[in-house]
Amino acid sequence: MATQGSAQARQSGEGERLVAQKRSGPRFITGRRPPERGPSGIGQVFEAQVISLAETGNAVVEHPDGRRLFVAGAWLGERIRVRVKELKSQYGIGELVEVLEASPSRIEPPCPFHGFAANQCGGCPWMFVDYPAQVEAKQQRVEQAMQRLTASPRVLPIIPAPQPLGYRMRAQLKTDGRELGFVANGQRQLAAVDDCLVLTEHNRATLQTLRQSLPNTAWTPGRKQDWVTLDIDESVSGKDVSVNKRLPFQQANRQQNDAMRVWLSRQLQALPRELPVLELFAGSGNFTEVIAAAGFTSITAVEVVDEAIAALAARALPGVTPVTCDLFDENAFAGLLQRQRAAEILVLDPPRDGLKCRSGLFDRRSRLRKIFYISCDLATFTRDLRDFFAAGYQLEEVQPVDLFPQTPHVELLAHLRRP
C-alpha cells in the first residue's frame, strides 16, 4: 500500500517559521459570510455542510446543482466554504477555502508539513482530527458497509492503536538527490520533510542520517524517473536502506500486527489440528507462524514472490509446505486449488486489490469450511464477501483494526464459515 508520512512540529523558532511558511491551508473564521458569486463551474465558491466521509477519507458535500463534491481537510458535520476544482457528470472535486463551523474534534495538526497543497505532505490526511474521532469514523464506516451486505452483521469494536504516533516500522521516502520527503497520493510533487512523527524513533534517526547526505548525486533520478525511492525499515540503518527496490512485504505497525496475530490464534483454537490448511498470500510467514504454533500438521503456504517463499522455507516451521504460485494468473490459481482440494481451512491476506483470481474459490463443492480473511481495503473486501455469501458462507464476525492512525485506512479481519 502507499506510504504515509508526516513530520513532527518542532519547538524551536525555526519550527514555527516552517509552520508559517508551509501551511497554506484554509482560513478559520467565526460566523458566516455570504457565498462568493462566481460562474457555475470551475472556481465557483459556495457554502456547504459536510454530510459524510468518502472511502478515501475526504469530506463529502453537496454542490448547489446536486452533485457530490469530495473535499480534503474537512470533517463530518462541519460547515465550510468550498471552491470547485473539477466537475464530472456525477461528482466533483472541491478545495477547502474556509471552515465556518468547526467540528469539536478538529485539532491543530502537530506536523508543520501536514496539508493538502502540492508542496505539503498529505500522507497523514486525518491528522487535523483528534484520535477518538478518527477511530469512531472508521468503526462507523465498517458497520455501514457490513449492514449493506447482511441483515445481522457482527462487527466487533475496532482495536485502536496504542500509539497513534511513532508506530510506523517502515516507510518509503522519495528523493531527487537534493531534497528528501514524501509524495502524497494523487500528487506528482515531492514534499520535502526533515522529520516524521509517525515513524518509530529508529526510522526517524534513519531519516536524519539520509538527510545529512544531501545533496547526493547517486540519488539523481534517471531520465524516465521522477525521483529515487528509499525504503527504510526498523531492521536497517541509514547506510543500508533499499534504493529503488521495495523491501519484502510486512506489516508496518508492530503492535497492531501482534493484535491481528492474536485474533487469528484465537479463531483457530477450537478447530481440529488435523484439518488441512491453505494459506494464500503468505509472505514470509507472518500468519503462517501463528497457524504452525497452533499445532496444525498440514499447512500449505502460498506466495507469489520467490524471495518471500525462500525466507519462509528458511524458517522451517513445523507442518508448513511453502509453495510459489502466481496468484494473479487464473490458470495457475485454478491449478493450485485443484491440487489443494482437500483443504478445509483457508487463511488469506491479499493486497489492496483483493482476490484478483477467483476461479473455483467460490465453488459450492469446495471442502473449505472455515475462511479467515485479512483485508487492507474495505471496498474489495465487501466485493469478495458478496461472492463468499453467494457460495453459501456465513459471516461469523468482522474485527476492524486501526493499523494506520492519522489516515482513513482500516484493516479488517473476518471469520466466515459454511455449514
Short mmCIF file of all heavy atoms in Angstrom, two decimals, residues 186-247:
data_model
loop_
_atom_site.label_atom_id
_atom_site.label_comp_id
_atom_site.label_asym_id
_atom_site.label_seq_id
_atom_site.Cartn_x
_atom_site.Cartn_y
_atom_site.Cartn_z
N GLY A 186 -1.99 10.89 -5.46
CA GLY A 186 -2.60 11.80 -6.41
C GLY A 186 -1.75 13.01 -6.74
O GLY A 186 -2.20 13.88 -7.48
N GLN A 187 -0.55 13.11 -6.19
CA GLN A 187 0.31 14.24 -6.48
C GLN A 187 1.58 13.77 -7.18
O GLN A 187 1.98 12.62 -7.08
CB GLN A 187 0.69 14.98 -5.19
CG GLN A 187 -0.49 15.61 -4.47
CD GLN A 187 -0.06 16.41 -3.26
OE1 GLN A 187 1.11 16.67 -3.06
NE2 GLN A 187 -1.02 16.81 -2.45
N ARG A 188 2.19 14.68 -7.92
CA ARG A 188 3.43 14.37 -8.61
C ARG A 188 4.53 15.32 -8.17
O ARG A 188 5.47 15.58 -8.90
CB ARG A 188 3.24 14.47 -10.12
CG ARG A 188 2.16 13.58 -10.69
CD ARG A 188 2.44 12.12 -10.45
NE ARG A 188 3.68 11.66 -11.05
CZ ARG A 188 4.21 10.47 -10.85
NH1 ARG A 188 3.64 9.62 -10.01
NH2 ARG A 188 5.33 10.12 -11.45
N GLN A 189 4.41 15.85 -6.97
CA GLN A 189 5.41 16.79 -6.47
C GLN A 189 5.94 16.31 -5.13
O GLN A 189 5.19 15.88 -4.25
CB GLN A 189 4.79 18.19 -6.32
CG GLN A 189 5.80 19.24 -5.89
CD GLN A 189 5.22 20.64 -6.00
OE1 GLN A 189 4.34 20.89 -6.81
NE2 GLN A 189 5.71 21.54 -5.17
N LEU A 190 7.25 16.39 -4.98
CA LEU A 190 7.90 15.97 -3.75
C LEU A 190 7.67 16.99 -2.65
O LEU A 190 7.90 18.18 -2.83
CB LEU A 190 9.40 15.80 -4.01
CG LEU A 190 10.27 15.32 -2.85
CD1 LEU A 190 9.93 13.88 -2.50
CD2 LEU A 190 11.74 15.44 -3.21
N ALA A 191 7.19 16.51 -1.50
CA ALA A 191 7.04 17.35 -0.32
C ALA A 191 8.21 17.06 0.61
O ALA A 191 8.25 16.01 1.25
CB ALA A 191 5.71 17.08 0.37
N ALA A 192 9.17 17.97 0.65
CA ALA A 192 10.37 17.76 1.47
C ALA A 192 10.02 17.84 2.95
O ALA A 192 9.25 18.70 3.38
CB ALA A 192 11.43 18.79 1.11
N VAL A 193 10.59 16.93 3.75
CA VAL A 193 10.39 16.93 5.20
C VAL A 193 11.74 16.75 5.88
O VAL A 193 12.67 16.20 5.29
CB VAL A 193 9.42 15.82 5.65
CG1 VAL A 193 8.07 15.95 4.95
CG2 VAL A 193 10.01 14.43 5.40
N ASP A 194 11.85 17.22 7.11
CA ASP A 194 13.09 16.97 7.85
C ASP A 194 12.84 16.16 9.12
O ASP A 194 13.74 15.97 9.93
CB ASP A 194 13.85 18.26 8.15
CG ASP A 194 13.00 19.29 8.86
OD1 ASP A 194 11.95 18.92 9.40
OD2 ASP A 194 13.40 20.46 8.88
N ASP A 195 11.61 15.65 9.28
CA ASP A 195 11.29 14.75 10.37
C ASP A 195 9.93 14.15 10.06
O ASP A 195 9.20 14.65 9.19
CB ASP A 195 11.27 15.49 11.71
CG ASP A 195 11.33 14.54 12.90
OD1 ASP A 195 11.47 13.32 12.67
OD2 ASP A 195 11.24 15.01 14.05
N CYS A 196 9.57 13.07 10.74
CA CYS A 196 8.27 12.43 10.50
C CYS A 196 7.82 11.75 11.78
O CYS A 196 8.42 10.77 12.22
CB CYS A 196 8.40 11.41 9.37
SG CYS A 196 6.87 10.53 9.04
N LEU A 197 6.78 12.27 12.38
CA LEU A 197 6.42 11.81 13.72
C LEU A 197 5.63 10.52 13.73
O LEU A 197 5.42 9.94 14.79
CB LEU A 197 5.69 12.90 14.49
CG LEU A 197 4.31 13.37 14.04
CD1 LEU A 197 3.24 12.46 14.58
CD2 LEU A 197 4.07 14.78 14.53
N VAL A 198 5.19 10.00 12.58
CA VAL A 198 4.55 8.68 12.61
C VAL A 198 5.57 7.57 12.54
O VAL A 198 5.26 6.40 12.78
CB VAL A 198 3.50 8.51 11.48
CG1 VAL A 198 2.36 9.47 11.66
CG2 VAL A 198 4.12 8.61 10.12
N LEU A 199 6.82 7.89 12.21
CA LEU A 199 7.87 6.88 12.18
C LEU A 199 8.31 6.52 13.60
O LEU A 199 8.22 7.33 14.52
CB LEU A 199 9.08 7.39 11.41
CG LEU A 199 8.90 7.74 9.93
CD1 LEU A 199 10.21 8.21 9.34
CD2 LEU A 199 8.34 6.55 9.15
N THR A 200 8.83 5.29 13.75
CA THR A 200 9.44 4.91 15.02
C THR A 200 10.71 5.75 15.24
O THR A 200 11.23 6.36 14.30
CB THR A 200 9.82 3.42 15.01
OG1 THR A 200 10.77 3.19 13.96
CG2 THR A 200 8.59 2.54 14.79
N GLU A 201 11.20 5.75 16.44
CA GLU A 201 12.40 6.52 16.74
C GLU A 201 13.58 6.06 15.89
O GLU A 201 14.38 6.88 15.42
CB GLU A 201 12.74 6.40 18.24
CG GLU A 201 11.78 7.14 19.15
CD GLU A 201 11.79 8.64 18.90
OE1 GLU A 201 12.85 9.19 18.59
OE2 GLU A 201 10.72 9.26 19.01
N HIS A 202 13.69 4.78 15.69
CA HIS A 202 14.77 4.25 14.86
C HIS A 202 14.68 4.82 13.44
O HIS A 202 15.68 5.27 12.87
CB HIS A 202 14.71 2.72 14.81
CG HIS A 202 15.72 2.09 13.91
ND1 HIS A 202 16.91 1.57 14.36
CD2 HIS A 202 15.72 1.90 12.56
CE1 HIS A 202 17.60 1.09 13.35
NE2 HIS A 202 16.90 1.27 12.24
N ASN A 203 13.48 4.78 12.87
CA ASN A 203 13.31 5.26 11.50
C ASN A 203 13.44 6.77 11.39
O ASN A 203 13.88 7.29 10.36
CB ASN A 203 11.97 4.79 10.93
CG ASN A 203 11.99 3.32 10.57
OD1 ASN A 203 13.05 2.74 10.35
ND2 ASN A 203 10.82 2.70 10.52
N ARG A 204 13.08 7.48 12.44
CA ARG A 204 13.31 8.94 12.44
C ARG A 204 14.80 9.24 12.41
O ARG A 204 15.25 10.16 11.72
CB ARG A 204 12.64 9.58 13.65
CG ARG A 204 11.12 9.59 13.57
CD ARG A 204 10.50 10.12 14.84
NE ARG A 204 10.79 11.54 15.04
CZ ARG A 204 10.50 12.21 16.15
NH1 ARG A 204 9.95 11.56 17.17
NH2 ARG A 204 10.76 13.47 16.25
N ALA A 205 15.57 8.43 13.15
CA ALA A 205 17.03 8.61 13.13
C ALA A 205 17.59 8.28 11.74
O ALA A 205 18.51 8.96 11.25
CB ALA A 205 17.67 7.73 14.19
N THR A 206 17.04 7.24 11.11
CA THR A 206 17.47 6.91 9.75
C THR A 206 17.17 8.05 8.79
O THR A 206 18.00 8.39 7.93
CB THR A 206 16.76 5.63 9.27
OG1 THR A 206 17.13 4.54 10.13
CG2 THR A 206 17.15 5.28 7.84
N LEU A 207 16.00 8.66 8.93
CA LEU A 207 15.64 9.81 8.10
C LEU A 207 16.66 10.93 8.26
O LEU A 207 17.09 11.55 7.27
CB LEU A 207 14.23 10.28 8.45
CG LEU A 207 13.75 11.58 7.82
CD1 LEU A 207 13.78 11.51 6.31
CD2 LEU A 207 12.33 11.92 8.31
N GLN A 208 17.07 11.19 9.49
CA GLN A 208 18.06 12.25 9.72
C GLN A 208 19.41 11.90 9.07
O GLN A 208 20.07 12.77 8.48
CB GLN A 208 18.23 12.49 11.22
CG GLN A 208 16.99 13.02 11.92
CD GLN A 208 16.48 14.30 11.28
OE1 GLN A 208 17.25 15.18 10.91
NE2 GLN A 208 15.17 14.39 11.14
N THR A 209 19.81 10.65 9.15
CA THR A 209 21.06 10.22 8.53
C THR A 209 21.01 10.42 7.02
O THR A 209 21.98 10.89 6.40
CB THR A 209 21.33 8.73 8.84
OG1 THR A 209 21.43 8.57 10.26
CG2 THR A 209 22.60 8.25 8.19
N LEU A 210 19.88 10.08 6.43
CA LEU A 210 19.73 10.26 4.98
C LEU A 210 19.77 11.73 4.60
O LEU A 210 20.37 12.11 3.58
CB LEU A 210 18.43 9.61 4.51
CG LEU A 210 18.34 8.09 4.65
CD1 LEU A 210 16.95 7.60 4.32
CD2 LEU A 210 19.37 7.40 3.77
N ARG A 211 19.14 12.56 5.40
CA ARG A 211 19.13 14.00 5.10
C ARG A 211 20.55 14.58 5.15
O ARG A 211 20.89 15.48 4.37
CB ARG A 211 18.23 14.73 6.09
CG ARG A 211 16.75 14.66 5.76
CD ARG A 211 15.93 15.44 6.77
NE ARG A 211 16.51 16.76 7.02
CZ ARG A 211 16.36 17.81 6.21
NH1 ARG A 211 15.64 17.70 5.10
NH2 ARG A 211 16.91 18.97 6.52
N GLN A 212 21.36 14.07 6.06
CA GLN A 212 22.72 14.60 6.19
C GLN A 212 23.59 14.29 4.97
O GLN A 212 24.63 14.93 4.77
CB GLN A 212 23.36 14.02 7.45
CG GLN A 212 22.75 14.55 8.74
CD GLN A 212 23.15 13.74 9.97
OE1 GLN A 212 24.05 12.90 9.90
NE2 GLN A 212 22.49 14.00 11.09
N SER A 213 23.17 13.34 4.15
CA SER A 213 23.95 13.00 2.96
C SER A 213 23.55 13.83 1.74
O SER A 213 24.12 13.65 0.66
CB SER A 213 23.80 11.52 2.65
OG SER A 213 22.48 11.21 2.25
N LEU A 214 22.56 14.71 1.89
CA LEU A 214 22.13 15.57 0.78
C LEU A 214 23.07 16.77 0.65
O LEU A 214 23.56 17.30 1.66
CB LEU A 214 20.69 16.04 1.01
CG LEU A 214 19.61 14.95 0.99
CD1 LEU A 214 18.28 15.54 1.41
CD2 LEU A 214 19.49 14.31 -0.38
N PRO A 215 23.30 17.27 -0.56
CA PRO A 215 22.90 16.68 -1.84
C PRO A 215 23.69 15.42 -2.14
O PRO A 215 24.84 15.29 -1.74
CB PRO A 215 23.20 17.79 -2.84
CG PRO A 215 24.29 18.58 -2.20
CD PRO A 215 24.05 18.54 -0.72
N ASN A 216 23.06 14.51 -2.90
CA ASN A 216 23.67 13.23 -3.19
C ASN A 216 23.45 12.91 -4.67
O ASN A 216 22.33 12.60 -5.08
CB ASN A 216 23.04 12.15 -2.30
CG ASN A 216 23.77 10.83 -2.38
OD1 ASN A 216 24.38 10.50 -3.39
ND2 ASN A 216 23.68 10.05 -1.30
N THR A 217 24.49 13.01 -5.46
CA THR A 217 24.35 12.78 -6.91
C THR A 217 24.00 11.32 -7.22
O THR A 217 23.44 11.04 -8.29
CB THR A 217 25.65 13.15 -7.64
OG1 THR A 217 26.74 12.41 -7.06
CG2 THR A 217 25.95 14.64 -7.50
N ALA A 218 24.31 10.40 -6.31
CA ALA A 218 23.96 8.99 -6.53
C ALA A 218 22.45 8.79 -6.54
O ALA A 218 21.96 7.77 -7.04
CB ALA A 218 24.61 8.11 -5.47
N TRP A 219 21.72 9.74 -5.98
CA TRP A 219 20.26 9.65 -5.93
C TRP A 219 19.60 10.53 -7.00
O TRP A 219 18.42 10.81 -6.91
CB TRP A 219 19.76 10.06 -4.55
CG TRP A 219 20.18 9.13 -3.46
CD1 TRP A 219 20.65 7.86 -3.58
CD2 TRP A 219 20.17 9.41 -2.06
NE1 TRP A 219 20.94 7.33 -2.36
CE2 TRP A 219 20.65 8.26 -1.39
CE3 TRP A 219 19.82 10.51 -1.30
CZ2 TRP A 219 20.78 8.19 -0.01
CZ3 TRP A 219 19.94 10.44 0.08
CH2 TRP A 219 20.42 9.29 0.71
N THR A 220 20.33 10.94 -7.99
CA THR A 220 19.75 11.72 -9.08
C THR A 220 18.89 10.79 -9.93
O THR A 220 19.36 9.75 -10.39
CB THR A 220 20.84 12.34 -9.96
OG1 THR A 220 21.67 13.17 -9.15
CG2 THR A 220 20.22 13.17 -11.08
N PRO A 221 17.62 11.14 -10.15
CA PRO A 221 16.74 10.25 -10.93
C PRO A 221 17.22 10.09 -12.36
O PRO A 221 17.84 11.00 -12.94
CB PRO A 221 15.38 10.96 -10.88
CG PRO A 221 15.48 11.92 -9.74
CD PRO A 221 16.91 12.32 -9.66
N GLY A 222 16.95 8.95 -12.94
CA GLY A 222 17.23 8.73 -14.35
C GLY A 222 16.30 9.53 -15.23
O GLY A 222 15.36 10.19 -14.75
N ARG A 223 16.53 9.45 -16.52
CA ARG A 223 15.75 10.27 -17.46
C ARG A 223 14.25 9.95 -17.41
O ARG A 223 13.42 10.81 -17.63
CB ARG A 223 16.27 10.07 -18.89
CG ARG A 223 17.58 10.81 -19.17
CD ARG A 223 17.94 10.71 -20.62
NE ARG A 223 18.17 9.33 -21.03
CZ ARG A 223 18.41 8.95 -22.29
NH1 ARG A 223 18.44 9.85 -23.25
NH2 ARG A 223 18.62 7.68 -22.58
N LYS A 224 13.90 8.71 -17.13
CA LYS A 224 12.49 8.32 -17.09
C LYS A 224 11.95 8.24 -15.66
O LYS A 224 10.86 7.72 -15.44
CB LYS A 224 12.30 6.99 -17.79
CG LYS A 224 12.63 7.05 -19.28
CD LYS A 224 12.34 5.71 -19.96
CE LYS A 224 12.64 5.79 -21.46
NZ LYS A 224 12.34 4.50 -22.13
N GLN A 225 12.72 8.75 -14.70
CA GLN A 225 12.30 8.72 -13.30
C GLN A 225 11.95 10.11 -12.82
O GLN A 225 12.59 11.09 -13.21
CB GLN A 225 13.43 8.17 -12.42
CG GLN A 225 13.72 6.69 -12.57
CD GLN A 225 14.84 6.27 -11.65
OE1 GLN A 225 15.95 6.79 -11.71
NE2 GLN A 225 14.54 5.32 -10.75
N ASP A 226 10.94 10.18 -11.96
CA ASP A 226 10.64 11.44 -11.28
C ASP A 226 11.54 11.62 -10.07
O ASP A 226 11.89 12.74 -9.71
CB ASP A 226 9.18 11.49 -10.84
CG ASP A 226 8.22 11.56 -12.03
OD1 ASP A 226 8.55 12.27 -13.00
OD2 ASP A 226 7.18 10.89 -11.98
N TRP A 227 11.89 10.50 -9.43
CA TRP A 227 12.70 10.53 -8.23
C TRP A 227 13.22 9.14 -7.95
O TRP A 227 12.85 8.16 -8.60
CB TRP A 227 11.90 11.02 -7.02
CG TRP A 227 10.49 10.53 -7.03
CD1 TRP A 227 10.05 9.25 -6.86
CD2 TRP A 227 9.32 11.32 -7.32
NE1 TRP A 227 8.69 9.18 -6.98
CE2 TRP A 227 8.22 10.45 -7.26
CE3 TRP A 227 9.10 12.66 -7.57
CZ2 TRP A 227 6.92 10.88 -7.48
CZ3 TRP A 227 7.81 13.09 -7.78
CH2 TRP A 227 6.74 12.22 -7.73
N VAL A 228 14.07 9.05 -6.97
CA VAL A 228 14.60 7.79 -6.48
C VAL A 228 13.85 7.43 -5.20
O VAL A 228 13.54 8.30 -4.39
CB VAL A 228 16.12 7.91 -6.21
CG1 VAL A 228 16.66 6.71 -5.43
CG2 VAL A 228 16.88 8.06 -7.53
N THR A 229 13.53 6.15 -5.03
CA THR A 229 12.83 5.71 -3.81
C THR A 229 13.82 5.11 -2.83
O THR A 229 14.75 4.39 -3.21
CB THR A 229 11.74 4.65 -4.14
OG1 THR A 229 12.36 3.49 -4.69
CG2 THR A 229 10.74 5.21 -5.13
N LEU A 230 13.61 5.43 -1.56
CA LEU A 230 14.44 4.90 -0.47
C LEU A 230 13.50 4.23 0.53
O LEU A 230 12.70 4.92 1.18
CB LEU A 230 15.22 6.04 0.21
CG LEU A 230 16.11 6.91 -0.68
CD1 LEU A 230 16.73 8.04 0.15
CD2 LEU A 230 17.20 6.08 -1.34
N ASP A 231 13.58 2.92 0.64
CA ASP A 231 12.75 2.19 1.59
C ASP A 231 13.51 2.04 2.90
O ASP A 231 14.61 1.49 2.93
CB ASP A 231 12.38 0.82 1.04
CG ASP A 231 11.24 0.89 0.04
OD1 ASP A 231 11.26 1.79 -0.82
OD2 ASP A 231 10.33 0.06 0.14
N ILE A 232 12.90 2.53 3.99
CA ILE A 232 13.54 2.44 5.29
C ILE A 232 12.75 1.48 6.17
O ILE A 232 11.55 1.29 6.00
CB ILE A 232 13.67 3.83 5.98
CG1 ILE A 232 12.28 4.43 6.26
CG2 ILE A 232 14.47 4.78 5.11
CD1 ILE A 232 12.34 5.73 7.03
N ASP A 233 13.47 0.86 7.12
CA ASP A 233 12.87 -0.18 7.93
C ASP A 233 13.58 -0.22 9.28
O ASP A 233 14.74 0.17 9.39
CB ASP A 233 13.01 -1.54 7.22
CG ASP A 233 12.30 -2.66 7.94
OD1 ASP A 233 12.92 -3.28 8.82
OD2 ASP A 233 11.13 -2.90 7.63
N GLU A 234 12.86 -0.70 10.28
CA GLU A 234 13.44 -0.84 11.62
C GLU A 234 14.72 -1.66 11.63
O GLU A 234 15.59 -1.45 12.47
CB GLU A 234 12.42 -1.53 12.54
CG GLU A 234 11.38 -0.63 13.13
CD GLU A 234 11.90 0.11 14.35
OE1 GLU A 234 12.07 -0.52 15.40
OE2 GLU A 234 12.14 1.31 14.23
N SER A 235 14.82 -2.60 10.71
CA SER A 235 15.93 -3.55 10.74
C SER A 235 17.19 -3.04 10.06
O SER A 235 18.21 -3.73 10.08
CB SER A 235 15.51 -4.87 10.08
OG SER A 235 15.19 -4.66 8.72
N VAL A 236 17.15 -1.86 9.42
CA VAL A 236 18.32 -1.37 8.69
C VAL A 236 18.72 0.01 9.21
O VAL A 236 17.91 0.73 9.78
CB VAL A 236 18.05 -1.29 7.17
CG1 VAL A 236 17.72 -2.66 6.61
CG2 VAL A 236 16.94 -0.31 6.85
N SER A 237 19.96 0.35 8.98
CA SER A 237 20.47 1.66 9.38
C SER A 237 20.36 2.62 8.20
O SER A 237 19.99 2.22 7.09
CB SER A 237 21.92 1.55 9.82
OG SER A 237 22.75 1.26 8.70
N GLY A 238 20.71 3.87 8.45
CA GLY A 238 20.66 4.87 7.39
C GLY A 238 21.62 4.58 6.26
O GLY A 238 21.45 5.12 5.15
N LYS A 239 22.61 3.73 6.49
CA LYS A 239 23.57 3.41 5.44
C LYS A 239 23.16 2.17 4.65
O LYS A 239 23.80 1.84 3.66
CB LYS A 239 24.95 3.17 6.06
CG LYS A 239 25.53 4.41 6.75
CD LYS A 239 26.89 4.10 7.35
CE LYS A 239 27.47 5.33 8.04
NZ LYS A 239 28.80 5.05 8.64
N ASP A 240 22.09 1.50 5.09
CA ASP A 240 21.71 0.23 4.47
C ASP A 240 20.30 0.24 3.91
O ASP A 240 19.67 -0.81 3.78
CB ASP A 240 21.82 -0.91 5.49
CG ASP A 240 23.22 -1.03 6.06
OD1 ASP A 240 24.17 -0.94 5.28
OD2 ASP A 240 23.35 -1.20 7.29
N VAL A 241 19.80 1.42 3.54
CA VAL A 241 18.44 1.49 3.03
C VAL A 241 18.38 0.86 1.65
O VAL A 241 19.38 0.73 0.94
CB VAL A 241 17.94 2.95 2.96
CG1 VAL A 241 17.89 3.56 4.34
CG2 VAL A 241 18.78 3.77 2.01
N SER A 242 17.15 0.47 1.25
CA SER A 242 16.93 -0.14 -0.05
C SER A 242 16.65 0.96 -1.07
O SER A 242 15.70 1.73 -0.91
CB SER A 242 15.75 -1.11 0.03
OG SER A 242 15.50 -1.69 -1.22
N VAL A 243 17.48 1.05 -2.11
CA VAL A 243 17.37 2.11 -3.11
C VAL A 243 16.70 1.55 -4.37
O VAL A 243 17.19 0.60 -4.97
CB VAL A 243 18.76 2.69 -3.46
CG1 VAL A 243 18.64 3.80 -4.51
CG2 VAL A 243 19.45 3.20 -2.21
N ASN A 244 15.57 2.16 -4.72
CA ASN A 244 14.81 1.77 -5.93
C ASN A 244 14.46 0.28 -5.94
O ASN A 244 14.39 -0.35 -6.99
CB ASN A 244 15.59 2.12 -7.20
CG ASN A 244 15.45 3.59 -7.56
OD1 ASN A 244 14.51 4.25 -7.15
ND2 ASN A 244 16.39 4.10 -8.32
N LYS A 245 14.25 -0.28 -4.77
CA LYS A 245 13.85 -1.67 -4.67
C LYS A 245 13.01 -1.85 -3.42
O LYS A 245 13.48 -1.61 -2.30
CB LYS A 245 15.06 -2.60 -4.61
CG LYS A 245 14.70 -4.08 -4.59
CD LYS A 245 15.93 -4.96 -4.53
CE LYS A 245 15.54 -6.43 -4.50
NZ LYS A 245 16.73 -7.32 -4.43
N ARG A 246 11.77 -2.27 -3.62
CA ARG A 246 10.88 -2.44 -2.48
C ARG A 246 11.36 -3.57 -1.57
O ARG A 246 11.83 -4.61 -2.03
CB ARG A 246 9.46 -2.76 -2.96
CG ARG A 246 8.64 -1.54 -3.29
CD ARG A 246 7.18 -1.89 -3.36
NE ARG A 246 6.36 -0.70 -3.54
CZ ARG A 246 5.93 0.07 -2.56
NH1 ARG A 246 6.29 -0.19 -1.32
NH2 ARG A 246 5.18 1.11 -2.81
N LEU A 247 11.22 -3.36 -0.28
CA LEU A 247 11.51 -4.41 0.68
C LEU A 247 10.39 -5.45 0.64
O LEU A 247 9.24 -5.13 0.29
CB LEU A 247 11.60 -3.82 2.09
CG LEU A 247 12.76 -2.84 2.33
CD1 LEU A 247 12.56 -2.12 3.66
CD2 LEU A 247 14.10 -3.56 2.31
#
